Amino acid sequence: VHWVTGDLRADLMAPFLRGAAELWVLAGKILGPEVMAEIALAEVAPASLAHHIAEVEARLADLPNSSAYVFLDSIQWQVPMVRMPWGRV
């Protein structure tokens, strides 16, 4: 992430980090927490990314790990759909 944020305009930093946090958390939901734990976040990203990751993790805490998340474009649009009570009448 550092190679992108180093030259990123200041007004784009927060939106970029929010998107990177979504990707990070969804990767963890797909690969499992043990895989993500092997990556030293502080070595690859600005310290502020951890805050964004915590926010996304909190929003998705009730969803199980699944390879299905590889198909999601954004938690903003698709996670509410995942939570829909499809089986209820």
Side-chain angles (χ1 to χ4, degrees):
V1 176
H2 281 307
W3 63 272
V4 173
T5 58
D7 294 326
L8 196 60
R9 288 188 346 230
D11 62 317
L12 298 177
M13 184 66 76
F16 174 81
L17 291 176
R18 283 192 299 271
E22 282 189 21
L23 180 60
W24 183 275
V25 173
L26 290 176
K29 290 274 189 189
I30 295 164
L31 300 171
E34 60 281 346
V35 173
M36 299 308 285
E38 294 178 13
I39 303 168
L41 184 61
E43 293 179 15
V44 298
S48 56
L49 182 60
H51 166 74
H52 294 288
I53 288 173
E55 287 182 343
V56 176
E57 285 177 334
R59 289 180 63 191
L60 303 183
D62 63 323
L63 297 178
N65 290 353
S66 172
S67 59
Y69 299 118
V70 76
F71 299 105
L72 297 183
D73 294 328
S74 170
I75 65 170
Q76 178 181 357
W77 305 115
Q78 293 178 314
V79 168
M81 182 179 69
V82 170
R83 288 193 173 111
M84 296 288 288
W86 298 109
R88 299 180 197 162
V89 178

